[in-house]
Amino acid sequence: MNFINDNLLLVILFFPALAALVLLFLPADENKLFRWFALGASLVPFILSIGLWIGFDPNAAGYQFEANYPWYEALHSSLHLGVDGLSLTMVMLTTFLTPLAILASFSIKERVKAYMMLFLFLEMGMLGVFMSIDLLIFFVFWEIGLVPMYFLINQWGSANRNYASLKFMIYTMGGSLGLLLAIQMLGVLFQTYDLQEITANWSTYTSANGIMGIPVGTVKTIAFWAFVIAFAVKVPLWPFHTWLPDAHTEAPTAGSMILAGVLLKLGAYGFLRLVLPLYPDEAKYFAGALAFLATAAIVFGAFGSFGQTDFKRLVAYSSVNHMGFVVLGIAAAASAIGTPDATIALNGAILQMFNHGLSAAGMFFLVGVIYERTHTRNLEEFGGLFPLVPVYGGILIFTSMASLGLPGLNGFISEFLVVRGSLPLLPVYTAVSMLGLLMTGAYILKGIKKVLHGPLNEHWAHGEHKLTEINTREILIMAPLMVLILVIGIWPAWILDVINKAVMMLF
Amino acid sequence: MLLAILPELLLLTLAVILLVVEPFWKVEDRRKAGWLTFGGLLATMAISLLFGRPGDPQAVFGGMLRFDWFGFFFKMIFIFGAAATSLFMMDHEKLGRRGESYLLLLATTMGMGLMASSADLVMLYLAIETTSIPLYVLAGFMLDDKASTEAGFKYLLFGALTSAVMLYGFSLLFGFTGTTDLYKLADNLGPDRNMSLMVFGVIFLLLVGLGFKVSAVPFHFWAPDVYQGAPTPVAGFLSTASKAAGFAVLLRLFIEVFPGFADWTTILAVLAAITMTVGNLLALPQTNIKRLLAYSSIAHAGYAMIGLVAFSDLGAASVIFYLVAYVATNLLAFGIVMAFSRIAGSDEIKDYAGLSRRAPWLGIAMLVAFLSLAGMPPFGGFVAKVIVFAAAVQNPALIWLVIVGILNSIVGVYYYLNVLKYVYLYRMDGENEEAHPIALTRPYTIALLVLGFAVILLGTAFGPWFDWSTLGALNLF
Amino acid sequence: MNFPVLSLIVFTPLVAAVLLLLIPADRKNEARATALAAAVFALLLSIWVYAQYALNGYTDYQFVEKVSWLKVGQLAFDYHVGVDGMSAPLVLLTGIVMFTGVLISWGREDLHAPTGIQDRPREFFAFLFLLAGGVFGVFVSLDLFLLFFFYEIAVFPMYLLIVIWGWVKTREYAAMKLTLYLFIGSVVALVGALAMYWTAGQQTGVFTFDMLELEKAGFSTAFQNAWFLPVFFGFAVLGGIWPFHNWSPDGHVAAPTAVSMFHAGVLMKLGAFAALRVGIMLLPEGAKTWSWLIMLFAAIAVVYGAYIAFVQPDLKYMIGFSSVSHMGLVMFGLSTLNRDGLTGAGLQMFSHGVMTALFFAVTGMIYDRSHTRQIPELGGMMKPLPWAGIGFIIGGLVSMGMPGFSGFVAEFPIFMGVWQVAPLAAIIASISIVITAAYIMRNIRQVFFGEMPAQFEGHISPLTALDKVAIVTLCLLMIALGLFPGLMAPMVQTGVDNILRLLGGA
């Protein structure tokens, strides 16, 4: 046990990968075994991360559970792990959503072993990004996560999966090119990749000679945008968002859950963990531009969502819309770091990340549930299904309301905080984004109306196409999500406390 | 003093024994004469190596001959070549059972030995003629074969003409200097540069004769026709030992007689470049393997001349080493051609298709020979070429020649590999190579094995051979 | 003198080649078994050398053997071998490629579609081992003449291997093209080497081909500037440097599988390695003068190669051009002349060697079964050949520089090195990463996951156990190096320190 205690982060990080390797050597064609094994394996990091949460001291500054393992000494890079309040929240979200997503994948019938292995590797990749405090390691995990996701979309996705998966891959890799180059430049400059050292040196770096003959300011600006673009693609911000609807729509249900629930957070996390600390001045200078992009994402995401006839695409665009708020909060905070308003905005942004993880995962799952039964996602082909599937309908409405930002549910808290924090700092953008908030209501209600209300599509009422109610396993997946949604909505203090202290210490 | 001509004496003895013994054998048994020659030549080599080694260079027979390592080493090369040739001749249908053919071979070898050690213009001319006349006969040995007769006659005509021109050069030299002793000519010519135009005239005349011997362009026209028409063992001998003898004279004559007129190197450099280029380019379109080897041997004369042009002890040593490697390699190549055409009855390259399946070992031997000719390690040709180029690079003025040499060796790689493509890649019509094996008689097996090993040995453990070459070369300076 | 392990490594394949020829032609399996035994032996020795070098504490040249080969007058050739941190990984690489090459050439003949090498395997392995012996020889040579000697030995068997066992349509053309390119390159470099030999001899009075001595010769800057280009580019032709890369894809396509593996996996490294050893290490000032040119060519190669690979419909051409691109990265690293770049180049040589060997092995397995390499004509190979599919995917991930695999570990320091010299070049070359990802992913999808054409249904025979061993070996290596760069990076750095010392910098 000592080993686990001393290397808790390491164990959490690599347990899924080890489990995947074990899975490889399990006998073939035992689909049931694979499923339960994978579920069990994904529960272990969850339980351990609860331990992490308990053992975490929100009042202590800096990283906790730090551990440093040698990795690439030639480049002065090491496997340096640690968590603070910000990353802990994200780790929790990841380890919490992964078992649910695996449970949701029980309906996968083909090549279960490969599927489960990829999923576990994906979990490792995401956890690695949140835990690493070494720039190179950060990038390593950042990219590693792409591969399993690519194959999950490409192999288990729906009709247009080839196009979507390649687009996902190319967008993300292309986006991270600049990040890669900028990280290299930092590594060359400081002969280390340790995030703390680089942060300390780089944010205040000046040199009369410039860097390689180019004035420091210019280099910093270029590097700033390299970072921003990499993360903006992932978030995604308008206009880099076009991969997202495709990827979401084509991905298998559990893939969409993780994609929306966690992968998008990687981008926002990048803003918080790297962009703000490394480039405080540039971030402040360009806060307006960022806010513009965020507002565009909010508004266009909402309008885009409203225009969809495909249920899954509708939910996908809603992610663009919701993640826009995260970036808006970040941009607002960047413009006036250290002020109370900024802290509120950041609190809201981080909580919004967590909340969107819950509600988006839930929404995608619910879309998956109905798609599995009807094999269509076209909103026009649904209608009036409430009487047929009352339980499902109830859950759908509940989750939608969370997404819509109904007071009493989690979405309200975080969006309120973001808006409250941003309004004094960036009044115009915040005001415009209110338009997006309005449209949020419109498209959510439109979705609910098209699916549950209106005239009943008789096709689903009788015979072989008769719609069946949501089953126990599916309810089991939704239950924890709904509980959390409700809990945060009513009593957000337990998580806001951790976030707030982290924000206070970080910025 | 007799030690100086020990090899020649032994060859003479061997010839006499052959003359005496051969008539007593039945005609069917006269193939044995080949074994006798072969054994005798080996014995000659062994005895000479044991008892006839030279010490410090010395003039013998009143300055007619010079007893030194240079000549001795060349003699060993000639005898080695003759031994291999005698094995090749045994299973030749026209040469094998005729005692005369072996006799002529011995006679010409004797002449070559004298060529390599002559230190006097008169002696030199005699030696050259002693070498040439038996070769004229051998080239035209197959009287009922038109090509052979033509080859013999052509060789005779060209040979006679060029040797007459060379003789004229000799007489002019004698006229200018009043001596025929090679080692006094240089002093008598002296540093008198006024004579240089005349001297260059002489050099030109000499080059005609020696150029013919080594088949340098533009005195090469005879080679392809003669090689193709002459009995193949004779062609092989012509292209190797005879050429080496020419180089022996070229080396001694030019380095000893014209050191004060070193500009001749420029002439020879141009000649070398032209020779290589013409040889290689004309080899490209050949479809007959003997003609291909003829042009390739012209090209190789060009490479060897690079070492001569370098005009240094290393250069001379490199020429000698080059010749050793070349003699072994080219004999191997001709041996394979003979072994093949004896069964297959053809010298066309296209008929070599499927050889590696018909006779895998012959295929390997072909590989060794042709890659060595192309200058690839671990075969003799590679080391030889590197050393020759090394000698030339020493003199920055010759880098252009090295570059020409390099470009040429690339052309060479092309056509040598092309032949190997037939051997290894293409199939016979009907693809039933197993039904057409190429059996080797014992003499061929021995000769090819020894030559093959020699080629590899020269390319890997080249130390001792190059030591000897250097020893010989140092005698010239 | 210690146990002559390097000589043993070099001569194992050479002796095995001779032994193979003594086996009767119809005893095919005996010939294969002999080849495998020799390959395993050489592999074990090279692993031993690698491990022992690390255990000895990464110092300088190890396992040195020196015997005078020829010393007459001004000519001195030594048989001088030894490994440093640059060459030890390459020796290991050669051992691995040799081993896997034999495995995948074994094949099966009792089918209507035979796999592996069924036509004259005895000669095939003999020539292949001649090649392997030459390659080993170059990597361990510390004498310039010896290096050339082995270099040529490594080149000419390629001709026969391609022309005899290659792809019928282009083999004659490609084999000749390849041979002539390489031959021209090597003789050009040879002239430069001879010039170094004489100049050093005249300056120091000691005529030697010994590279450790030539390093100290102190050539004038003018001399170095003049001779660096012929020497470097003469060798770099074999490294597939743009614009002399043309022979390489043609050669890949025409060559039989194991030869492609050797060609891309090891031979191209030979060129880069010799260019480094002779060009940069002996003429460091020249290298400094001309590094911009190499960097320019390398940057073009990286992007251009990737782009051409992107548009290739033929699987082998695709890999061939991707090799041009990746070898461009090696040259890119070399051209930086700094610690990071050179370390990356050393690692990239190993990583790319393993990766491309794997690629060609898998491609060969597919071609043997489907008789086409046209990507659009293939599809659905994952089902009948899952091992090949996984191998190809892992190779693909390495190729696109995905973290966690060896490609990233190698490419990252290269780019870091370039950053320090020419940031713009790094930015331009990084475009290739995205292009590579695009074509790799597209091809994986088409070949392994697309719809399987009807004519292949039921005609794709499974892989042999030996094929799987080869795939697994290569995959594990790339993953191990990717996860634990410490396995190789310190070793390469020792070699790099040596180079930096010659370059006169830190």
Side-chain angles (χ1 to χ4, degrees):
Chain A
M1 281 317 272
N2 255 342
F3 175 80
I4 296 183
N5 274 334
D6 295 345
N7 302 285
L8 192 54
L9 289 182
L10 190 76
V11 174
I12 295 177
L13 176 56
F14 288 115
F15 189 85
L18 281 180
L21 287 183
V22 175
L23 199 57
L24 178 65
F25 293 103
L26 291 181
D29 300 326
E30 295 275 351
N31 285 352
K32 214 170 179 177
L33 176 68
F34 300 150
R35 287 173 189 146
W36 286 103
F37 182 86
L39 181 63
S42 63
L43 281 173
V44 174
F46 177 56
I47 293 165
L48 289 174
S49 58
I50 290 179
L52 206 60
W53 183 271
I54 295 168
F56 183 81
D57 174 9
N59 297 312
Y63 295 97
Q64 300 182 31
F65 301 101
E66 244 187 283
N68 204 340
Y69 311 91
W71 185 60
Y72 203 159
E73 281 160 3
L75 301 184
H76 314 287
S77 167
S78 56
L79 185 60
H80 194 175
L81 304 177
V83 289
D84 62 358
L86 169 61
S87 39
L88 181 64
T89 320
M90 292 298 118
V91 170
M92 283 303 295
L93 179 66
T94 312
T95 55
F96 172 68
L97 280 182
T98 308
L100 295 182
I102 286 179
L103 194 60
S105 314
F106 273 31
S107 53
I108 296 282
K109 301 279 186 294
E110 288 179 354
R111 287 168 290 163
V112 177
K113 188 196 254 188
Y115 181 93
M116 293 300 173
M117 283 178 63
L118 287 173
F119 228 96
L120 291 170
F121 278 125
L122 180 61
E123 184 182 12
M124 180 196 70
M126 298 181 299
L127 286 174
V129 173
F130 293 134
M131 288 180 183
S132 51
I133 41 179
D134 180 284
L135 262 183
L136 188 52
I137 290 286
F138 177 92
F139 186 79
V140 166
F141 284 110
W142 174 268
E143 294 273 300
I144 280 183
L146 280 181
V147 179
M149 199 64 220
Y150 170 84
F151 283 107
L152 285 175
I153 299 176
N154 188 278
Q155 292 305 300
W156 289 272
S158 44
N160 204 12
R161 59 196 184 192
N162 281 337
Y163 170 73
S165 56
L166 194 61
K167 193 168 175 184
F168 165 73
M169 189 87 183
I170 298 303
Y171 259 71
T172 324
M173 278 200 84
S176 27
L177 255 193
L179 177 64
L180 174 71
L181 292 168
I183 288 181
Q184 281 169 348
M185 188 201 68
L186 291 177
V188 168
L189 207 56
F190 298 116
Q191 289 299 308
T192 178
Y193 284 99
D194 189 274
L195 188 55
Q196 286 153 304
E197 277 185 51
I198 290 187
T199 310
N201 293 326
W202 178 242
S203 53
T204 56
Y205 186 80
T206 48
S207 164
N209 300 328
I211 299 164
M212 294 160 237
I214 305 166
V216 175
T218 317
V219 174
K220 278 195 171 186
T221 306
I222 294 172
F224 169 76
W225 281 105
F227 272 72
V228 165
I229 287 174
F231 299 133
V233 168
K234 202 88 169 187
V235 169
L237 273 187
W238 181 89
F240 309 111
H241 67 283
T242 61
W243 63 270
L244 182 129
D246 290 316
H248 271 299
T249 314
E250 304 304 331
T253 303
S256 304
M257 287 171 72
I258 289 293
L259 194 55
V262 186
L263 275 180
L264 304 189
K265 308 303 172 294
L266 293 181
Y269 178 79
F271 275 110
L272 292 166
R273 171 64 72 225
L274 300 180
V275 176
L276 291 190
L278 284 174
Y279 303 95
D281 303 336
E282 287 73 19
K284 187 170 182 175
Y285 185 77
F286 291 111
L290 266 186
F292 171 75
L293 296 183
T295 311
I298 294 171
V299 174
F300 291 131
F303 276 100
S305 184
F306 188 73
Q308 298 306 317
T309 56
D310 181 316
F311 197 9
K312 215 172 177 183
R313 278 186 100 83
L314 183 146
V315 180
Y317 273 103
S318 87
S319 286
V320 179
N321 167 279
H322 284 123
M323 290 307 289
F325 278 103
V326 176
V327 182
L328 180 65
I330 293 171
S335 69
I337 215 82
T339 60
D341 287 331
T343 310
I344 294 174
L346 276 180
N347 272 322
I350 297 170
L351 188 62
Q352 170 77 347
M353 285 161 72
F354 194 85
N355 287 341
H356 177 253
L358 300 178
S359 58
M363 284 305 287
F364 275 114
F365 178 68
L366 290 171
V367 173
V369 166
I370 197 164
Y371 175 72
E372 267 175 29
R373 285 163 174 72
T374 61
H375 301 288
T376 178
R377 295 184 303 247
N378 192 338
L379 288 169
E380 304 301 331
E381 293 177 26
F382 296 126
L385 299 181
F386 210 170
L388 293 177
V389 283
V391 181
Y392 174 81
I395 296 176
L396 180 63
I397 291 173
F398 180 88
T399 319
S400 303
M401 286 308 126
S403 177
L404 182 146
L406 189 74
L409 297 181
N410 61 355
F412 173 74
I413 311 274
S414 50
E415 285 182 14
F416 176 80
L417 285 175
V418 169
V419 173
R420 161 66 189 81
S422 311
L423 197 55
L425 301 173
L426 300 164
V428 177
Y429 290 119
T430 315
V432 174
S433 70
M434 293 292 69
L435 186 65
L437 206 54
L438 187 71
M439 285 308 293
T440 310
Y443 68 74
I444 297 265
L445 293 177
K446 173 193 167 187
I448 293 177
K449 177 187 153 237
K450 290 272 184 187
V451 177
L452 298 178
H453 305 293
L456 174 68
N457 186 339
E458 294 292 330
H459 183 70
W460 308 114
H462 312 288
E464 54 172 335
H465 295 298
K466 187 170 164 27
L467 199 59
T468 51
E469 182 57 283
I470 186 167
N471 63 29
T472 323
R473 176 179 63 87
E474 289 157 347
I475 293 177
L476 262 179
I477 295 167
M478 283 311 293
L481 289 173
M482 289 159 67
V483 169
L484 263 181
I485 288 174
L486 196 61
V487 167
I488 295 178
I490 295 168
W491 181 56
W494 63 277
I495 188 164
L496 262 181
D497 181 49
V498 173
I499 294 173
N500 187 38
K501 282 177 175 148
V503 168
M504 298 293 278
M505 279 177 285
L506 258 175
F507 305 105
Chain B
M1 194 150 75
L2 284 180
L3 272 185
I5 52 165
L6 182 64
E8 285 81 0
L9 287 179
L10 290 169
L11 287 176
L12 191 65
T13 320
L14 182 59
V16 171
I17 293 173
L18 193 67
L19 259 184
V20 173
V21 174
E22 195 245 12
F24 291 102
W25 289 335
K26 279 184 270 177
V27 177
E28 308 89 82
D29 285 347
R30 285 188 187 163
R31 186 168 164 273
K32 279 194 293 194
W35 288 117
L36 178 65
T37 316
F38 176 63
L41 284 166
L42 285 193
T44 306
M45 214 163 164
I47 294 170
S48 312
L49 280 172
L50 283 177
F51 305 110
R53 277 175 300 175
D56 290 332
Q58 60 182 114
V60 288
F61 297 112
M64 283 290 131
L65 292 177
R66 203 161 168 89
F67 186 37
D68 58 8
W69 276 104
F70 178 81
F72 183 76
F73 194 41
F74 266 105
K75 283 178 198 175
M76 293 303 113
I77 300 174
F78 303 145
I79 295 173
F80 178 78
T85 307
S86 68
L87 285 178
F88 291 145
M89 283 162 71
M90 282 170 68
D91 287 306
H92 192 278
E93 57 177 329
K94 293 283 155 42
L95 300 177
R97 297 181 184 180
R98 303 277 295 273
E100 309 89 286
S101 56
Y102 301 107
L103 204 62
L104 289 165
L105 180 71
L106 291 175
T108 185
T109 311
M110 209 154 42
M112 290 174 185
L114 292 173
M115 271 167 83
S117 49
S118 300
D120 189 281
L121 289 179
V122 179
M123 184 64 213
L124 184 59
Y125 188 72
L126 281 177
I128 289 173
E129 289 307 309
T130 316
T131 310
S132 301
I133 293 167
L135 283 177
Y136 300 148
V137 180
L138 277 174
F141 205 81
M142 302 189 289
L143 283 175
D144 44 0
D145 182 309
K146 263 190 179 168
S148 173
T149 333
E150 186 195 320
F153 198 63
K154 208 169 208 169
Y155 190 42
L156 169 67
L157 280 185
F158 268 101
L161 182 68
T162 53
S163 93
V165 173
M166 181 170 64
L167 188 60
Y168 184 48
F170 283 176
S171 60
L172 281 181
L173 259 186
F174 174 66
F176 290 147
T177 60
T179 176
T180 55
D181 189 332
L182 289 185
Y183 285 81
K184 291 185 183 133
L185 279 168
D187 291 338
N188 288 8
L189 280 173
D192 185 0
R193 303 295 296 185
N194 295 335
M195 298 246 305
S196 61
L197 195 63
M198 302 305 289
V199 171
F200 277 112
V202 171
I203 287 175
F204 174 73
L205 295 177
L206 298 185
L207 273 181
V208 171
L210 294 171
F212 166 78
K213 273 274 162 221
V214 303
S215 65
V217 177
F219 316 109
H220 67 286
F221 291 103
W222 59 278
D225 294 339
V226 172
Y227 287 7
Q228 191 185 12
T232 317
V234 178
F237 195 65
L238 269 179
S239 80
T240 53
S242 169
K243 183 171 287 197
F247 268 103
V249 176
L250 211 52
L251 278 168
R252 199 190 285 272
L253 198 62
F254 277 80
I255 290 174
E256 294 299 347
V257 178
F258 304 113
F261 298 85
D263 295 346
W264 57 263
T265 55
T266 316
I267 304 175
L268 272 181
V270 173
L271 215 57
I274 297 174
T275 303
M276 288 186 273
T277 312
V278 169
N280 275 318
L281 290 182
L282 290 180
L284 281 176
Q286 299 307 323
T287 57
N288 181 296
I289 190 117
K290 280 165 84 176
R291 287 188 83 85
L292 180 122
L293 284 173
Y295 283 108
S296 117
S297 85
I298 293 169
H300 279 280
Y303 298 133
M305 278 159 80
I306 297 178
L308 175 60
V309 170
F311 194 41
S312 63
D313 48 355
L314 179 65
S318 73
V319 177
I320 301 175
F321 187 81
Y322 196 96
L323 290 170
V324 175
Y326 168 74
V327 165
T329 308
N330 224 28
L331 278 173
L332 181 61
F334 271 102
I336 298 161
V337 170
M338 281 174 244
F340 179 80
S341 71
R342 205 174 70 88
I343 306 286
S346 164
D347 290 328
E348 291 304 310
I349 294 174
K350 65 174 166 31
D351 292 323
Y352 279 74
L355 177 63
S356 78
R357 292 170 201 262
R358 296 172 75 174
W361 282 103
L362 210 54
I364 299 281
M366 194 93 171
L367 189 74
V368 172
F370 275 63
L371 288 179
S372 179
L373 285 174
M376 296 282 192
F379 308 115
F382 170 74
V383 182
K385 224 170 241 174
V386 170
I387 297 178
V388 166
F389 287 159
V393 172
Q394 224 172 348
N395 178 358
L398 287 177
I399 288 186
W400 69 270
L401 187 59
V402 174
I403 290 168
V404 173
I406 284 169
L407 294 176
N408 267 293
S409 52
I410 292 160
V411 178
V413 167
Y414 181 83
Y415 62 80
Y416 293 127
L417 286 182
N418 213 21
V419 176
L420 291 179
K421 196 164 72 184
Y422 281 89
V423 173
Y424 273 94
L425 171 61
Y426 295 144
R427 312 278 312 243
M428 285 177 80
D429 292 337
E431 303 203 344
N432 53 347
E433 287 87 355
E434 285 75 12
H436 300 88
I438 296 192
L440 292 182
T441 58
R442 183 168 300 155
Y444 280 118
T445 314
I446 295 174
L448 295 181
L449 262 181
V450 170
L451 289 167
F453 273 112
V455 170
I456 295 175
L457 205 63
L458 286 165
T460 48
F462 46 82
W465 316 107
F466 193 71
D467 275 347
W468 268 26
S469 310
T470 312
L471 212 56
L474 285 174
N475 288 157
L476 298 178
F477 287 92
Chain C
M1 186 191 273
N2 297 324
F3 179 65
V5 60
L6 291 183
S7 298
L8 205 57
I9 290 182
V10 173
F11 287 103
T12 296
L14 296 179
V15 171
V18 176
L19 288 181
L20 275 169
L21 290 176
L22 297 176
I23 296 172
D26 50 345
R27 290 287 191 63
K28 292 186 176 178
N29 274 333
E30 278 83 347
R32 293 180 180 122
T34 313
L36 186 58
V40 169
F41 185 61
L43 175 63
L44 290 178
L45 285 175
S46 56
I47 293 173
W48 190 81
V49 165
Y50 187 89
Q52 196 62 36
Y53 187 92
L55 291 177
N56 289 353
Y58 301 127
T59 47
D60 211 35
Y61 291 96
Q62 295 188 13
F63 310 104
V64 175
E65 298 165 39
K66 187 169 183 178
V67 183
S68 177
W69 198 358
L70 169 70
K71 179 142 187 61
V72 179
Q74 293 171 333
L75 270 187
F77 303 158
D78 288 328
Y79 177 82
H80 189 183
V81 296
V83 289
D84 69 349
M86 266 297 173
S87 50
L90 294 172
V91 171
L92 179 66
L93 172 69
T94 314
I96 293 161
V97 173
M98 183 176 163
F99 169 67
T100 49
V102 172
L103 285 184
I104 64 107
S105 302
W106 194 302
R108 248 192 303 236
E109 61 183 324
D110 52 352
L111 297 164
H112 68 277
T115 60
I117 297 291
Q118 301 305 337
D119 173 26
R120 288 176 287 174
R122 177 181 74 146
E123 278 88 347
F124 179 80
F125 286 122
F127 291 149
L128 192 68
F129 280 9
L130 210 54
L131 172 67
V135 172
F136 274 128
V138 173
F139 288 142
V140 301
S141 292
L142 293 182
D143 182 276
L144 205 46
F145 177 79
L146 191 65
L147 187 138
F148 272 103
F149 187 83
F150 283 123
Y151 193 90
E152 299 288 351
I153 290 186
V155 167
F156 80 79
M158 284 295 283
Y159 176 80
L160 293 167
L161 285 165
I162 293 177
V163 105
I164 301 171
W165 290 277
W167 185 41
V168 180
K169 282 187 190 155
T170 60
R171 59 187 177 191
E172 292 176 40
Y173 164 74
M176 189 57 88
K177 184 168 174 182
L178 174 143
T179 313
L180 292 184
Y181 259 82
L182 300 189
F183 192 73
I184 293 172
S186 70
V187 284
V188 167
L190 178 63
V191 177
L194 292 174
M196 276 190 240
Y197 173 77
W198 288 117
T199 314
Q202 270 149 19
Q203 281 173 7
T204 61
V206 184
F207 285 88
T208 176
F209 274 108
D210 193 319
M211 288 196 272
L212 300 185
E213 297 293 327
L214 289 175
E215 283 172 3
K216 300 177 202 143
F219 298 114
S220 70
T221 308
F223 175 87
Q224 299 202 22
N225 288 346
W227 285 104
F228 177 77
L229 286 186
V231 171
F232 187 90
F233 280 96
F235 284 120
V237 169
L238 181 52
I241 193 170
W242 187 90
F244 308 115
H245 64 284
N246 214 307
W247 58 276
S248 167
D250 285 328
H252 283 308
V253 171
T257 307
V259 178
S260 293
M261 288 169 69
F262 249 94
H263 171 181
V266 191
L267 267 184
M268 293 178 85
K269 312 301 167 297
L270 209 64
F273 174 78
L276 169 72
R277 185 73 114 208
V278 184
I280 295 179
M281 288 175 74
L282 297 189
L283 302 169
E285 292 302 324
K288 284 180 195 162
T289 309
W290 291 108
S291 63
W292 64 272
L293 187 68
I294 302 167
M295 183 168 284
L296 177 70
F297 283 174
I300 294 173
V302 169
V303 179
Y304 166 88
Y307 178 71
I308 302 289
F310 182 76
V311 298
Q312 286 301 327
D314 182 306
L315 205 49
K316 263 190 151 178
Y317 266 115
M318 186 275 280
I319 305 172
F321 277 103
S322 93
S323 284
V324 171
S325 170
H326 283 109
M327 286 309 292
L329 281 175
V330 173
M331 294 296 172
F332 213 33
L334 293 183
S335 69
T336 62
L337 303 178
N338 59 30
R339 180 185 303 271
D340 291 330
L342 289 168
T343 308
L347 289 170
Q348 172 77 351
M349 283 201 257
F350 186 87
S351 162
H352 176 250
V354 177
M355 172 197 93
T356 193
L358 177 65
F359 263 149
F360 279 115
V362 171
T363 309
M365 290 168 196
I366 293 171
Y367 179 73
D368 280 348
R369 288 164 175 82
S370 66
H371 301 287
T372 180
R373 289 187 308 254
Q374 295 298 310
I375 296 165
E377 293 173 16
L378 289 163
M381 289 294 160
M382 196 68 183
K383 205 159 241 167
L385 307 172
W387 291 73
I390 301 217
F392 196 90
I393 290 169
I394 293 184
L397 295 176
V398 175
S399 172
M400 64 172 92
M402 186 54 70
F405 299 93
S406 56
F408 177 77
V409 164
E411 286 175 21
F412 199 86
I414 291 178
F415 278 98
M416 271 179 74
V418 178
W419 260 110
Q420 298 164 36
V421 190
L424 193 64
I427 292 168
I428 291 170
S430 69
I431 297 168
S432 74
I433 297 176
V434 177
I435 305 178
T436 308
Y439 69 76
I440 293 283
M441 283 304 169
R442 194 189 56 188
N443 292 334
I444 288 176
R445 191 187 75 215
Q446 175 65 34
V447 174
F448 290 98
F449 297 113
E451 194 83 348
M452 182 184 270
Q455 74 263 29
F456 296 149
E457 289 292 353
H459 289 296
I460 304 293
S461 57
L463 299 185
T464 65
L466 295 177
D467 291 343
K468 291 178 187 170
V469 172
I471 291 177
V472 169
T473 312
L474 296 170
C475 286
L476 284 183
L477 268 168
M478 292 188 289
I479 295 173
L481 184 57
L483 294 181
F484 306 105
L487 291 174
M488 190 166 285
M491 179 168 298
V492 173
Q493 278 204 312
T494 340
V496 171
D497 286 339
N498 207 6
I499 301 166
L500 292 176
R501 185 176 50 74
L502 295 171
L503 285 166

